[in-house]
Structures are given as structure tokens and as C-alpha cells.
């Protein structure tokens, strides 16, 4: 009882520590696992036992026999399902081919490159060398996401790393399984035929079960066949059912099935998706905390001592500084990514829970089979996991600045509120070359924005998780246009420092729009207009009009004319290739000549 409670308590403390110091949680989690496991057994316990013994050793332990690895497999399936829910097709318009090549050509290069290096540095047999290579193909979303959250990058870079991290997990697991099966059956001429059959079965059952059950669950949710209070637990049960059923029909097809299921649900019209995401995210945090501590604690001190050699450094350096860049540059050839962007993607390749979990499983199985050199598999993979996470967590931000991918000026615009006037304004700015993201808690509004080919998310502005969305790393402007004065005010107070470093603005409230005592209106989207005025201008004429301004006098006169009109709202000023909010332009003190004044609503003769 104490051990179980201790794992959860220590795991959540590690997560808090990671949040506080903005590092991937895997670092404190693995260190805690090593402390309560092999380090405690060697240096801290009087009887030489671990403080937490994951596998039953005849006297103590949490999981008997293979139970630990069953738990690991089920937990990984839930984590990957949650990752699949976050993958949106709209994100990959520009980088879809790059992602495809990374998980195919890039995986192939990593597999053969790491296999050769492992064979010639540690003198492992070819089979074990390629098993190690298969295990480190994966880059973990559980460790990439925390790293990217703290670095303002172009959306394409974040998208490539995010999608690669989630999609490559089942591929790496599949390759590792095929190599493991080859070792287990002793190779032979019949293995190639068997491997091809197994590969086909994994693809068939993984995609079929994932696709079918995703649509079945979506149908049940949308038709309200599941009561609201059971929604999350039924969804969790469905994920476990899909994983287990797929595994029964084709061994190791379960991971593919849950990723497909998550992607289908995440890109479908599923009501309550937001609640499902929140639940799965919380559950994933708990499971990751437990898993890393358990797997690290399961390592023995003898395993760690195997790594105390120059060969370990040579293997790690080869994987990180040669093989990963080679895979990335080959996969991004002829893409629109710039050279420095490719270098950054090459640098960020941390391994995560799938590599650690499957390595522990296969390593122990091969040890029981008496395979020579099997004792190296688990510690070597953990070395790569811990080393890559430590390297990327401590250097990614600095490295991004050094090579010039760190956005010095984030100029994407986040709109709080996705009403029809907001969508019209967002489309206008998008057509001027701006990146626009709209958020709203109203599903109908969000869907309208998506139908207009805009980026939009169904988000509660009172949710702190908004700041953790890596898709918003390049946002520099915040504009609150919702119909709620409280929401607009909360948005500016809470998120100005995060999303509005270039400027944050809100609609005036009804009282503020007529309060002549307010002199500083630099924080207002328009000088004297509230949501009602904006809506009426939209209803009068749902278009944004443009009028040329010759000089400063004409500019001042045009603003006064618009201020008197009830159904016209001044929005933007165009100066050359730049476009500014009226409030922002006033603050910029730029020459007021040869301008365009853009306004919403009734056309006016100036």
C-alpha cells in the first residue's frame, strides 16, 4: 500500500516540479525511479532491497510475473490515444509530405544507422543491435510537447515535431516487435514470409479496429446513447477494448489501433470532445508519472554499470549528432523548410515512454530466454531516453536562438470570440498574410470559423491549459472580441503577457464606449465601440470597406466621421505592406499619409 501511494505522490510532485521549472516531467520522474530503485538498493537500504520493487521477486513487489508489462502496454495505449485526439488534419497542409517521410524514410535511416553503430561499438549481435535500433526510432510526444511549449517557433516546425512524435510510436513498436520475433524464433528462411504476414495483419486489424470503433463511439456520443456522467469512463473502456481486441487478432497492432481511433475522433464532429480531451490528458499525466517511476525503478545497479564505458558516449553521440540529422535532412529534402529549421528539427529528438516501456518488456523476456547480450537492451535504451531528454530540455531554447528559428517577434493574432463579425475580420487579416487563430467556447461559432478555412479551437478562456498549447507559440497579438465584457476583460488580464506581448486589445464595454472620461483608449480594439455596435455594423453591411487617406488631416477627419456613424466601425490602417489596428497605429506614431482606412459596416462618403 505504501509503495503504490508513494509512486502516485512522488509522480505528481515530479510533475509539479517540471511545471514549476519548465522542464519535461520525464527528467524528475526517471531520477526518482532510479533513486527508489537501484540507487536505494545499492546505497540506502540495509538489506539491499529497493524501496519500490516493481516486479514480485518472491518476497516483495507490486506486479507478479508479466503483470507489470500488461499494465505498461495498457497505459501506453491510453497515452497514445490521447495524443491521437490532438492531431488535426488542418495542421499539416504545408508539412504533410515531410511528416510522411520522417516516419518512413527517417525511421529506416535511424533503424539501420543505429543498428550498425550498436553492433560495432558494443559488439552486440546483429539481431540485438537492430532491436535496440527499432526501440529508439520513436520520439515521444510526452517529452517533445513540454519542450516546445516554452519555445516560440513557427507553426510548421512545431507541427512536424508534434506529429512525428505521435505517429512514429506505433511504427517503432512494430519494427521492434518484428525484430523481437525474429530473435525469438531464431530467424531462418521462413521468417521473411511470417514477418510479411504479421506486418499485414498489424496494419489490417490496427486500422480496421481503430476506424470502426471510433465511428461507433462517436455515433453513441452524438446520439446521446451514453449518459454524460459515464462519457469519460465509457470512452476509456472503449480504448482498452480496442487495444485488447486488436492485440488478440494481431500481436502489437493495439498501438496502431488506438492512434487511429484517436485521430478519427479528433477530426470528426464529436460533441463533448473537449471534455474527453481534458479527462484523457489528466489520466495521461497520472499514467506517465507512474510508468516512468516503475520502469526506472525496475533497472538494477548492474545494468547501469554496463554503461560505464566510452562506448556509451560513442553510441549516444552517433545517434544524436549523426543519425538523427541524416534522417531529418533526407526526409526534408526539397521541402519548404529552411536550412536552420531542418537543423532545429534534427536537434530535437527526445525519446519517451514507448521506447522505455517496450525496452523493459523485451529486455526481460530475452534475458529469460538466455539470449547473449540481452542485458544491454534496457539500460542502453534508458540511456538514450534520459540523455536525449536532458540534452533537449536544457539546450533547445538556446539552440533555437543560436540558429535563428526562435521567433523574436511573434506576430500571429489570437482572437477571443468567434462570432460572425470576428470571423469576417479574421478572414480579412488572413488574406493580408497574417496567421489568425480564433478560440471560443461556443461550438457553433467554432464550426463556422472552421468552415471558412480558419484556424479555430473550442476553448474555455478560463482554462489555464490554453497557455500550454504549442500551436499558439507564435502568437504575439491578443484581441478579445467576444460578446461578454467579463470574458474580454479576463482574457486581457490573464493572457496579455503570454499572447499579447506585441499588443493586446479588447472591445469596449457598453459603459466604456460612452464614458468620455477615459482618455487612454490604447487597449480598446476600436476607440468607442462595443459588441453591440460591432454587431450592428456587421448586419448593416458584412464587408470591410477601404478608403484612401491622403494626409494626416484627412485621416483625422475620416475617424471623426466614422465615430459619428452608428453603423460603421473603424478597424485597421494599411501603411505600405503593414496593417495596424487603429489603436495600435495611433500608438506607433507613424506618418499619417498615403494610407488606407479599413472599416466595417455601412459605406460612407468621406
Amino acid at each position: 500500500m505504501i509503495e503504490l501511494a508513494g509512486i502516485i505522490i512522488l509522480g505528481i510532485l515530479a510533475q509539479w516540479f517540471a511545471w514549476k521549472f519548465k522542464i519535461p516531467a520525464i527528467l524528475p520522474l526517471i531520477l526518482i525511479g532510479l533513486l527508489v530503485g537501484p540507487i536505494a538498493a545499492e546505497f540506502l537500504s540495509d538489506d539491499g532491497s529497493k524501496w519500490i520493487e516493481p516486479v514480485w521477486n518472491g518476497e516483495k513487489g507490486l506486479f507478479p510475473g508479466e503483470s507489470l508489462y500488461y499494465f505498461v502496454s495498457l497505459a501506453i495505449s491510453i497515452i497514445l490515444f490521447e495524443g491521437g485526439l490532438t492531431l488535426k488534419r488542418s495542421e499539416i497542409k504545408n508539412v504533410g509530405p515531410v511528416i510522411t517521410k520522417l516516419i518512413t524514410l527517417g525511421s529506416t535511416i535511424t533503424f539501420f544507422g543505429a543498428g550498425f553503430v550498436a553492433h560495432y561499438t558494443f559488439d552486440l549481435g546483429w539481431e540485438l543491435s537492430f532491436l535496440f535500433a527499432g526501440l529508439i526510432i520513436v520520439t515521444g510526444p510526452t517529452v517533445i510537447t513540454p519542450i516546445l511549449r516554452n519555445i516560440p517557433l513557427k507553426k510548421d516546425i512545431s507541427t512536424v515535431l508534434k506529429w512525428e512524435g505521435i505517429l512514429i510510436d506505433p511504427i517503432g513498436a512494430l519494427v521492434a516487435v518484428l525484430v523481437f520475433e525474429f530473435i525469438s524464433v531464431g530467424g531462418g528462411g521462413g521468417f521473411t514470409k511470417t514477418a510479411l504476414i504479421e506486418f499485414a495483419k498489424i496494419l489490417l486489424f490496427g486500422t480496421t479496429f481503430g476506424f470502426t470503433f471510433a465511428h461507433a463511439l462517436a455515433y453513441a456520443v452524438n446520439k446521446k446513447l451514453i449518459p454524460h456522467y459515464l462519457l469519460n469512463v465509457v470512452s476509456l473502456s472503449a480504448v482498452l477494448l480496442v487495444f485488447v481486441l486488436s492485440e488478440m487478432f494481431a500481436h502489437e497492432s493495439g498501438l496502431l489501433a488506438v492512434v487511429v481511433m484517436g485521430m478519427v475522433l479528433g477530426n470528426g464532429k464529436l460533441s463533448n470532445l473537449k471534455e474527453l480531451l481534458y479527462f484523457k490528458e489528466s489520466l495521461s499525466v497520472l499514467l506517465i508519472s507512474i510508468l516512468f517511476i516503475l520502469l526506472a525503478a525496475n533497472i538494477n545497479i548492474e545494468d547501469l554499470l554496463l554503461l560505464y564505458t566510452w562506448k556509451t558516449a560513442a553510441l549516444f553521440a552517433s545517434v544524436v549528432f549523426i543519425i538523427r540529422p541524416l534522417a531529418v535532412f533526407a526526409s526534408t529534402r526539397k521541402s519548404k523548410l529552411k536550412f536552420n529549421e531542418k537543423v532545429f528539427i534534427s536537434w530535437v529528438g527526445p525519446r519517451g515512454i514507448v521506447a522505455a516501456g517496450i525496452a523493459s518488456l523485451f529486455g526481460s523476456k530475452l534475458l529469460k530466454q538466455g539470449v547473449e547480450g540481452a542485458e544491454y537492451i534496457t539500460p542502453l535504451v534508458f540511456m538514450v531516453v534520459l540523455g536525449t531528454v536532458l540534452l533537449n530540455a536544457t539546450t533547445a531554447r538556446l539552440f533555437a536562438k543560436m540558429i535563428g528559428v526562435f521567433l523574436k517577434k511573434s506576430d500571429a493574432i489570437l482572437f477571443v470570440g468567434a462570432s460572425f463579425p470576428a470571423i469576417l475580420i479574421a478572414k480579412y487579416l488572413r488574406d493580408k498574410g497574417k496567421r489568425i487563430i480564433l478560440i471560443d467556447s461556443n461550438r457553433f461559432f467554432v464550426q463556422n470559423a472552421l468552415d471558412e478555412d480558419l484556424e479555430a479551437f473550442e476553448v474555455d478562456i478560463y482554462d489555464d491549459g490554453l497557455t500550454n498549447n504549442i500551436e499558439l507559440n507564435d502568437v504575439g497579438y491578443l484581441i478579445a472580441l467576444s460578446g461578454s465584457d467579463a470574458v474580454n476583460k479576463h482574457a486581457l488580464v490573464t493572457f496579455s503577457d503570454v499572447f499579447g506581448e506585441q499588443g493586446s486589445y479588447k472591445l469596449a464595454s457598453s459603459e466604456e464606449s460612452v464614458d468620455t472620461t477615459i482618455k487612454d483608449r490604447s487597449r480598446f480594439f476600436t476607440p468607442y465601440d462595443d459588441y453591440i455596435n460591432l454587431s450592428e455594423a456587421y448586419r448593416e453591411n458584412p464587408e470591410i470597406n477601404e478608403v484612401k487617406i491622403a494626409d494626416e488631416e484627412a485621416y483625422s477627419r475620416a475617424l471623426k466621421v466614422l465615430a459619428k456613424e452608428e453603423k460603421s466601425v473603424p478597424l485597421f490602417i494599411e501603411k505600405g505592406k503593414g496593417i495596424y489596428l487603429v489603436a495600435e497605429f495611433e500608438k506607433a506614431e507613424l506618418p499619417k499619409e498615403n494610407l488606407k482606412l479599413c472599416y466595417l459596416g455601412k459605406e460612407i462618403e468621406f
Side-chain angles (χ1 to χ4, degrees), residues 414 416 461 466-467 475-480 488-506 523:
L414 178 66
V416 177
I461 193 66
L466 182 63
T467 57
V475 170
Y477 292 92
L478 174 68
I479 302 178
N488 293 338
K489 184 176 180 180
H490 176 80
L492 257 66
V493 170
T494 308
F495 299 111
S496 287
D497 292 341
V498 181
F499 300 122
E501 65 266 31
Q502 305 297 331
S504 46
Y505 309 91
K506 74 177 185 67
R523 298 282 277 182

Side-chain angles (χ1 to χ4, degrees), residues 78 81 217 230-241 276 279-280 283 287:
I78 296 169
F81 172 72
L217 180 60
L230 286 179
L231 173 64
N232 288 330
V233 291
V234 169
S235 301
L236 174 62
S237 301
V239 173
L240 297 177
L241 176 63
L276 190 60
F279 172 69
K280 288 294 185 294
L283 188 60
L287 290 173

Side-chain angles (χ1 to χ4, degrees), residues 4 17 56 82 106 134 142 225 336 344 495 499 524 549 581 583 586-587 596:
L4 282 173
F17 184 86
W56 181 262
E82 191 262 333
T142 56
L225 300 178
K336 294 181 180 179
F344 183 78
F495 299 111
F499 300 122
F524 292 104
I549 303 295
L581 274 73
E586 293 294 315
K587 190 168 53 178
K596 273 186 191 174

Side-chain angles (χ1 to χ4, degrees), residues 441-456:
S441 59
N442 187 310
R443 184 177 296 114
F444 174 73
F445 283 177
V446 171
Q447 189 57 51
N448 287 337
L450 293 172
D451 292 341
E452 294 290 345
D453 202 27
L454 291 164
E455 288 185 67

Side-chain angles (χ1 to χ4, degrees), residues 160-279:
V160 166
L161 289 167
K162 172 186 167 185
W163 275 71
E164 180 201 14
I166 294 173
L167 294 182
I168 208 168
D169 274 351
I171 292 175
L174 169 60
V175 172
V177 167
L178 292 177
V179 177
F180 176 77
E181 292 296 329
F182 181 85
I183 298 172
S184 298
V185 301
F191 173 75
T192 302
K193 182 179 179 181
T194 304
L196 290 175
I197 293 173
E198 288 299 313
F199 182 75
K201 286 170 61 179
I202 288 171
L203 289 179
L204 173 64
F205 289 109
T207 53
T208 301
F209 277 108
F211 187 84
T212 303
F213 276 84
H215 283 284
L217 180 60
Y219 178 83
V221 172
N222 291 333
K223 294 295 182 180
K224 302 190 184 305
L225 300 178
I226 304 170
H228 187 269
Y229 78 97
L230 286 179
L231 173 64
N232 288 330
V233 291
V234 169
S235 301
L236 174 62
S237 301
V239 173
L240 297 177
L241 176 63
V242 168
F243 179 78
V244 172
L245 278 178
S246 190
E247 287 284 313
M248 290 172 61
F249 281 87
H251 188 49
E252 298 302 332
S253 65
L255 294 181
L256 177 61
V258 296
V259 171
V260 170
M261 183 179 181
M263 289 179 63
V264 173
L265 285 173
N267 287 278
K269 295 182 179 180
L270 176 67
S271 60
N272 302 104
L273 175 62
K274 182 174 64 174
E275 294 179 38
L276 190 60
L277 270 169
Y278 288 159
F279 172 69

Side-chain angles (χ1 to χ4, degrees), residues 240-504:
L240 297 177
L241 176 63
V242 168
F243 179 78
V244 172
L245 278 178
S246 190
E247 287 284 313
M248 290 172 61
F249 281 87
H251 188 49
E252 298 302 332
S253 65
L255 294 181
L256 177 61
V258 296
V259 171
V260 170
M261 183 179 181
M263 289 179 63
V264 173
L265 285 173
N267 287 278
K269 295 182 179 180
L270 176 67
S271 60
N272 302 104
L273 175 62
K274 182 174 64 174
E275 294 179 38
L276 190 60
L277 270 169
Y278 288 159
F279 172 69
K280 288 294 185 294
E281 185 177 9
S282 299
L283 188 60
S284 293
V285 168
L286 180 61
L287 290 173
I288 289 168
S289 304
I290 295 171
L291 285 179
F292 274 118
I293 291 178
L294 281 175
L295 295 174
N298 197 43
I299 296 177
N300 297 314
I301 197 70
E302 295 82 8
D303 300 330
L304 297 177
L305 292 176
L306 290 173
L307 304 180
Y308 191 66
T309 171
W310 65 268
K311 297 178 181 179
T312 304
L315 177 60
F316 181 79
S318 299
V319 169
V320 173
F321 302 122
I322 299 176
I323 297 171
R324 170 70 177 172
L326 186 62
V328 169
F329 273 85
S331 302
T332 55
R333 185 171 174 266
K334 295 183 179 180
S335 72
K336 294 181 180 179
L337 292 172
K338 298 177 182 177
F339 178 80
N340 59 342
E341 295 170 344
K342 297 176 184 179
V343 172
F344 183 78
I345 294 172
S346 301
W347 186 259
V348 180
R351 275 61 176 178
I353 188 63
V354 173
I358 299 178
S360 296
L361 172 62
F362 289 169
S364 63
K365 285 185 176 181
L366 292 176
L367 277 174
K368 290 179 181 178
Q369 294 176 16
V371 175
E372 184 180 356
E375 67 275 9
Y376 282 95
I377 293 299
T378 301
L380 281 178
V381 171
F382 263 84
M383 176 272 298
V384 173
V385 170
L386 187 57
T388 52
V389 171
L390 184 61
L391 177 68
N392 292 154
T394 55
T395 65
R397 187 179 181 89
L398 176 62
F399 190 72
K401 290 181 177 179
M402 286 174 56
I403 64 171
V405 298
F406 191 95
L407 291 178
K408 296 179 181 178
K409 182 179 180 182
S410 303
D411 57 0
I413 304 172
L414 178 66
F415 277 29
V416 177
S419 61
F420 287 112
I423 290 174
L424 176 66
I425 295 168
K427 287 168 58 181
Y428 179 82
L429 290 172
R430 179 198 62 191
D431 294 341
K432 296 291 184 181
K434 297 285 188 180
R435 184 190 172 206
I436 311 295
I437 307 99
L438 298 99
I439 60 172
D440 204 304
S441 59
N442 187 310
R443 184 177 296 114
F444 174 73
F445 283 177
V446 171
Q447 189 57 51
N448 287 337
L450 293 172
D451 292 341
E452 294 290 345
D453 202 27
L454 291 164
E455 288 185 67
F457 301 98
E458 186 183 343
V459 173
D460 185 349
I461 193 66
Y462 295 100
D463 174 28
D464 291 338
L466 182 63
T467 57
N468 292 329
N469 189 337
I470 64 173
E471 299 300 319
L472 305 180
N473 278 358
D474 61 340
V475 170
Y477 292 92
L478 174 68
I479 302 178
L481 297 180
S482 82
S484 168
D485 295 336
V487 166
N488 293 338
K489 184 176 180 180
H490 176 80
L492 257 66
V493 170
T494 308
F495 299 111
S496 287
D497 292 341
V498 181
F499 300 122
E501 65 266 31
Q502 305 297 331
S504 46

Side-chain angles (χ1 to χ4, degrees), residues 138-168:
V138 299
T139 60
T142 56
V143 288
I144 283 179
T145 302
I147 292 172
L148 297 182
R149 280 173 181 166
N150 300 315
I151 309 173
L153 301 166
K154 281 179 59 178
K155 183 191 173 187
D156 286 351
I157 303 176
S158 298
T159 300
V160 166
L161 289 167
K162 172 186 167 185
W163 275 71
E164 180 201 14
I166 294 173
L167 294 182
I168 208 168

